[in-house]
Amino acid sequence: MTTTEPSPAVHALPPLRVARERFLSGRPLPDGVPEEVLAAWRRARFFGVPHDLKEPAADPPRPVESPLLGAARPVLERIAPALGTGRSVLLLTDARLRVLWTSGSAPGLTPHPGLSEQEVGHNSAALALRGRRRAEVHGPEHFLDVWQDVSAVSVPVLAPKSGQALGTLTVASHLCGGCPPHPQAALAEAAAAAVEAELLARAGRAEQVLLDAYLRAARGEDRAVVALDGRNRLISAAAERLMTPEVLRSLERTATTARHTDAPAAAELPEGAGCSARIDLVRQAGVVVGIVAVLEPQDEGTPRPRPRPLPRLTGSSLPWRYAVERAAQLIRSPEPLLLTGERGTGKTALARELLGPADIETVDAAEGGALEGDLTEWAAASPLILRHAERLTQPAVATLNSLLDTHPDTRLLVTHTPGTPPGPCLQRLLDKLAARTVVLPPLRERTEDIRELLSALTPRPAPGNPPLTWTLDALRALEQHPWPGNVTELAHVVQALAEHRRVSGPVRRAELPDTVREGPAVRPLSPMEHAERATILETLHRHGGNKSRAAAVLGIGRATLYRKLREYEG
């Protein structure tokens, strides 16, 4: 049984209705409005959600069959009769809060095809997905007019092996008195647990189906065959020799797209891939669970060896791909570019990769010295990487601002690690580069990349020695650790194990450093803190990491924004 935060306004619904009406009309609010509810209303207004939103004019498109829907449908069809007639609605959403399945009906429960806050404002499904725990929203806590007499409880559905949030289960009914808990909270939790159990049972079968398809395609010959399902990889030795990291990433994207769209797959390999790919879909009970790709070299002769990727550029998660692709798009024009993010996220590695093999001059403000002289003598025609802009002295920042004023098309990449509030000169530089800023995600926000990073960061073993591998328990510990040092910290852990380990077999959880093995010591955030943190990060992203602008949009002081960011980072 999961826990839930008490709905903050449930014992004061009539006053809250008055407060909501005042909020919508722009009048002063009465005292006693819960901060988390007010923050939710403000987010809805920020996203431009109309409070009088009506039901969609057309029926939403039929949901695409997916592993989640396939596992949940038989479970939910057995549970649905327990809802009663005309009293409640049971909904299943995916991780993007798109409604996949519904059953039941009740007065005032207007259906919507999506439940994201950007579409419908505050609701229990969005809150449960963000907080990864049961959540309830009652009556006027909702932003929409049509849900003012609705109580809803939602439970996240988690992947049984990785713990990734796959979607939510929601039971919505007419506004209940004396909540929480919602009268059908236990039903929602039982339904989510049953769906997760069915997912676990099906996961093993799907992996076996993928393995069988891989073995059939390989046929015992030296064929270049790859089988992928978005989580697992089966790669033959011939494919390992033939593929580049770019080809593998392209096939990974093809597998993910095929699983979510159930459509014929065609891999768009990068230019100069050196091979072609024939894609076959792998199905289980009619649902696409992965792909098998058979690779053929385009040139005769021995396939070229696979180059080793830069570790900090390794990753196929959506946040990382978005940051890298955004940076690659911006670097095409000869103007300065700012890469910002926590320490160890790979800013310098990405900067060097973006500039390619050209002669690059690197200046590191963290090493001290009279950098204003170096910047004055720098030839603007040659690329420059300026590291640790937050450590620049005021004269150096003034020199750099002057150079950018006179040479706005300078080929300059600046890396910046947010921390203490910037001075006025540095803030002017950050403001100047705000439109060309890329924020690199911390490792804890792309934990699905950790297994791929482990392969890239592990040193090549000596001849005759097996490569470093990991038990599932160790992998879970690595994925649950918050990694304050990000990829750099992970690299140090891997390097230390590779150099000092004296036992054979996969790395066990007990061999990991204490801080990683025992899990994070920071206090867990409440659902509303998760919501507030998500809003702050999204606002920062929208404004290129500019904290002054983000604070102004959020209606808080810059010092308050820094304090909240420090609190949420533990």
Side-chain angles (χ1 to χ4, degrees), residues 133 522-526 529-530:
R133 62 192 299 181
V522 299
R523 79 174 169 85
L525 301 181
S526 70
E529 287 174 324
H530 274 290

Side-chain angles (χ1 to χ4, degrees), residues 434-457:
R436 293 179 55 80
T437 295
V438 176
V439 182
L440 272 62
L443 186 55
R444 64 182 171 278
E445 292 182 5
R446 58 181 188 110
T447 54
E448 58 266 47
D449 289 337
I450 285 180
R451 301 191 186 197
E452 191 175 346
L453 283 164
L454 290 174
S455 300
L457 293 168

Side-chain angles (χ1 to χ4, degrees), residues 151-169:
S151 286
V153 56
S154 298
V155 181
V157 179
L158 306 180
K161 293 185 178 180
S162 66
Q164 177 185 2
L166 302 177
T168 65
L169 266 171

Side-chain angles (χ1 to χ4, degrees), residues 186-197:
L187 176 66
E189 290 194 329
V195 172
E196 290 173 356

Side-chain angles (χ1 to χ4, degrees), residues 24-79:
L24 294 176
S25 61
R27 290 178 292 167
L29 299 181
D31 295 333
V33 179
E35 283 295 327
E36 51 267 41
V37 174
L38 183 57
W41 294 345
R42 286 172 173 164
R43 287 197 303 273
R45 174 173 286 175
F46 176 76
F47 291 136
V49 178
H51 66 88
D52 56 353
L53 182 69
K54 306 299 182 184
E55 62 183 273
D59 291 335
R62 183 186 180 93
V64 175
E65 193 68 29
S66 65
L68 173 60
L69 182 56
R73 182 186 285 114
V75 174
L76 300 181
E77 288 176 347
R78 294 195 302 268
I79 292 175

